[in-house]
Amino acid sequence: MKIIQNIKVLVVMGVTCLLASCNSWLEVKPDDRIMDEELFGDKEGYMTALNGIYSELNRPSLYGANLTMGMMDVLAQYYDCSSSMHPYSKFMNYSYEQDECKERFESIWQGMYELIANCNVILEQCGDGNAVLPEVYYRMIKGESLALRAMLHFDLLRMFGPIYNEENKGTACIPYMKVADKTVQPLLGADKILEYVLADLEEAKGLLEPVDPVIANGAENVEAPQGNNDMNYRPYRLNYFAVKALMARAYLWGGDKTNAGKYAREVIDAVTNENKPLFPLITYSYINSWSDNVFSPEVLFGLHNTSRTSAVYNTFFVSTLQSDKILTMAGDYASGRIHVVYDDENDIRYGMWKAAVEDGREFVYFEKYKQINTYAFSYVIPMMRTGEMYLIAAECEDNVRNALDKYINPLRLSRHCVDLDASTEEELEKLIQWETFRDLIGEGQMFYYYKRKAMQNIPNGGVVNGVRNISLNSYVFPLPDSEISQRTDN
């Protein structure tokens, strides 16, 4: 594949520990790269390499914008980008043949396979045992590298792969890169990609389980003695619970509700235990005290992005943006789309939307990523959260009442909403759809929900209350031209 042919297998240079300072927990110079043979002489070098990969996930072309609150949420019809002048109008209309879309898909493809290559360098250096690394470091570094490789491939599958069903799952779509060399790897069927994703996650889980301090201590968002934070700040790593949460996602993608529900429930039971809550659902009193719009106590894995205000809030959401630049819901605050999306005005998620007036026009703007203070959560971009596990567990329940009582209504209670009721599986599915829409806004997951369900009628972001018809082909990103040109297997 071209990305592997054209790049040198370099490892991003990073710091050897996470810093305790709230505004610089992870500082990496993305352009400061060195060859692997100069790096892996000690455990500090391994940590430097791994930290660098986490930092590079923050690129705006990847999870720092495109794959979270930006492109992916536009595709999910959260926002009104219907003006032809809006930079996201082509994405709202699924005009993938346009240059803007092609260039963005190319950037995603190249960036993700570059990071996969870097994961593979670390994994090759780790081997089946390593004299340089103490056992704890060996398990943590290899486990997290496997989990990162799986996560990146899984999201590539969800973007560039087919709608996953019996008819399509054998469709060749992307390569699964397990080596760091430059050879072109074959495009594999979606079922084989998912098999490799789950195998990597299973191995990662086994490596992390005996050593990950998150299991006993939770987040550990505190400065370690002597400043060695390698085993602290676990929500900023693909830790043991995040790996199991990712397994729940992956199994659900493959239609295996038995295993998806199993892993979602295991995470919920472990992290919300009343005697020792590790990543509990937030409460209304917590939000009143902390104004934490990303609900950071329940973030199982998130990115630490010190540029979040400038790169995210000021770029997409601040009220001073022009109407053809801002990501906003259709209509005004009094009667606009937010009243269709949110069924309870006491919902603390509804409270993240504010009213503004520009040139006599009232509109709404979104404060989820606004920096309220200098606490650590002001720099978090959530990647996986406990709330999502409640939604997956509800979807995997075969009893409507249990799904409501155990998962949907407890989740709504934590968001300060009234209970909902349903009497049929169809009614429950609709409730889960809208709770997912509300809960994961700004996190890039809703488009995948629609794709997994093969939905051809989805909410329309361009109107206050309406439905958008979407072709099933629009759920599959075309392979970049640069990739196609390198292949003989197409």
Side-chain angles (χ1 to χ4, degrees):
M1 57 187 306
K2 187 175 182 183
I3 182 63
I4 302 302
Q5 289 178 327
N6 286 355
I7 68 168
K8 294 180 180 179
V9 182
L10 304 177
V11 181
V12 183
M13 194 61 181
V15 294
T16 59
C17 65
L18 294 174
L19 304 178
S21 165
C22 287
N23 7 338
S24 58
W25 292 18
L26 183 60
E27 294 178 348
V28 175
K29 300 175 182 178
D31 296 325
D32 187 8
R33 303 166 189 263
I34 60 178
M35 293 298 291
D36 55 282
E37 62 265 21
E38 300 174 17
L39 183 63
F40 297 106
D42 53 31
K43 67 178 176 63
E44 285 75 18
Y46 280 86
M47 292 302 297
T48 292
L50 186 58
N51 288 346
I53 294 172
Y54 282 112
S55 179
E56 290 286 274
L57 294 175
N58 274 307
R59 296 179 195 173
S61 61
L62 299 179
Y63 298 94
N66 271 345
L67 304 183
T68 46
M69 75 295 295
M71 181 193 78
M72 293 307 302
D73 270 8
V74 171
L75 293 172
Q77 299 290 319
Y78 274 105
Y79 308 118
D80 180 8
C81 306
S82 53
S83 166
S84 61
M85 299 300 292
H86 200 288
Y88 279 107
S89 64
K90 303 294 192 302
F91 294 92
M92 185 181 183
N93 293 316
Y94 311 107
S95 301
Y96 296 160
E97 74 284 356
Q98 298 295 316
D99 288 344
E100 296 98 312
C101 297
K102 287 184 174 183
E103 290 168 5
R104 196 153 312 203
F105 297 155
E106 175 80 43
S107 178
I108 292 167
W109 182 273
Q110 296 271 350
M112 293 178 81
Y113 275 111
E114 177 187 331
L115 294 185
I116 288 168
N118 288 333
C119 290
N120 286 332
V121 171
I122 297 174
L123 290 167
E124 288 180 4
Q125 292 292 330
C126 283
D128 294 326
N130 189 293
V132 169
L133 293 174
E135 179 71 6
V136 170
Y137 277 84
Y138 172 77
R139 284 181 166 274
M140 295 280 281
I141 291 168
K142 186 172 183 179
E144 289 181 30
S145 298
L146 281 165
L148 284 163
R149 183 172 79 177
M151 182 192 78
L152 291 163
H153 278 110
F154 180 54
D155 282 351
L156 284 162
L157 171 64
R158 293 197 290 174
M159 287 182 280
F160 294 92
I163 293 172
Y164 198 96
N165 55 33
E166 284 299 319
E167 180 182 356
N168 297 327
K169 68 182 183 181
T171 303
C173 50
I174 67 171
Y176 202 96
M177 300 300 299
K178 294 187 177 184
V179 293
D181 64 28
K182 303 174 184 179
T183 58
V184 176
Q185 299 295 314
L187 300 178
L188 300 179
D191 52 355
K192 180 58 69 172
I193 297 295
L194 189 59
E195 177 186 325
Y196 285 155
V197 165
L198 288 165
D200 274 353
L201 292 173
E202 185 67 39
E203 185 176 358
K205 178 171 69 73
L207 286 163
L208 292 170
E209 188 168 12
V211 298
D212 196 339
V214 77
I215 297 171
N217 303 324
E220 285 283 80
N221 284 334
V222 294
E223 172 76 352
Q226 290 82 49
N228 180 4
N229 294 313
D230 290 348
M231 303 298 165
N232 288 39
Y233 305 112
R234 296 306 292 161
Y236 302 97
R237 304 278 191 179
L238 264 171
N239 61 70
Y240 175 76
F241 292 128
V243 167
K244 294 183 80 170
L246 187 52
M247 293 179 80
R249 261 189 200 172
Y251 274 118
L252 192 59
W253 186 259
D256 185 347
K257 288 188 175 182
T258 299
N259 276 310
K262 169 181 175 288
Y263 283 105
R265 290 190 299 271
E266 285 181 2
V267 173
I268 292 168
D269 291 345
V271 305
T272 64
N273 187 300
E274 291 183 0
N275 296 324
K276 192 173 184 180
L278 302 177
F279 295 90
L281 294 178
I282 53 89
T283 63
Y284 183 60
S285 61
Y286 169 83
I287 293 298
N288 277 342
S289 299
W290 293 98
S291 301
D292 174 5
N293 285 340
V294 298
F295 305 167
S296 63
E298 62 183 67
V299 174
L300 299 165
F301 171 49
L303 304 181
H304 181 74
N305 190 325
T306 55
S307 300
R308 200 184 78 175
T309 296
S310 59
V312 175
Y313 185 68
N314 292 346
T315 299
F316 298 121
F317 302 113
V318 69
S319 62
T320 53
L321 286 170
Q322 296 176 357
S323 60
D324 59 358
K325 297 290 190 297
I326 192 171
L327 294 182
T328 180
M329 285 195 186
D332 57 22
Y333 189 80
S335 58
R337 190 178 181 222
I338 57 171
H339 295 284
V340 175
V341 171
Y342 298 94
D343 61 352
D344 188 336
E345 292 190 5
N346 292 314
D347 190 335
I348 54 181
R349 299 167 297 189
Y350 170 84
M352 296 180 197
W353 292 91
K354 308 296 181 185
V357 177
E358 185 73 27
D359 297 329
R361 180 185 71 92
E362 184 180 278
F363 61 98
V364 295
Y365 64 100
F366 191 42
E367 291 193 328
K368 180 168 185 172
Y369 288 113
K370 181 179 181 180
Q371 183 169 343
I372 306 296
N373 49 50
T374 57
Y375 291 111
F377 54 70
S378 290
Y379 308 101
V380 173
I381 296 177
M383 299 280 280
M384 258 172 284
R385 63 170 64 253
T386 301
E388 184 185 353
M389 295 300 101
Y390 277 75
L391 293 163
I392 291 176
E395 187 172 341
C396 296
E397 266 287 341
D398 56 10
N399 181 285
V400 172
R401 188 76 261 155
N402 285 344
L404 290 166
D405 293 346
K406 291 183 178 180
Y407 305 114
I408 294 298
N409 286 327
L411 179 67
R412 286 178 60 84
L413 176 63
S414 79
R415 277 61 171 143
H416 204 227
C417 301
V418 296
D419 285 357
L420 294 179
D421 201 6
S423 56
T424 66
E425 291 184 3
E426 291 73 20
E427 291 174 352
L428 175 65
E429 183 173 349
K430 200 67 176 176
L431 294 184
I432 293 172
Q433 176 189 325
W434 279 106
E435 283 307 308
T436 303
F437 193 97
R438 289 185 279 264
D439 218 58
L440 300 182
I441 183 171
E443 300 179 25
Q445 297 302 312
M446 198 65 206
F447 182 75
Y448 299 136
Y449 180 97
Y450 295 148
K451 180 173 181 175
R452 178 166 58 80
K453 299 280 189 179
M455 293 177 62
Q456 293 186 270
N457 297 297
I458 64 176
N460 189 341
V463 297
V464 170
N465 189 8
V467 173
R468 175 77 183 248
N469 301 118
I470 176 172
S471 163
L472 294 181
N473 292 331
S474 297
Y475 286 120
V476 183
F477 297 177
L479 288 182
D481 292 341
S482 64
E483 180 65 19
I484 295 172
S485 68
Q486 299 296 307
R487 297 203 156 270
T488 60
D489 52 359
N490 285 331

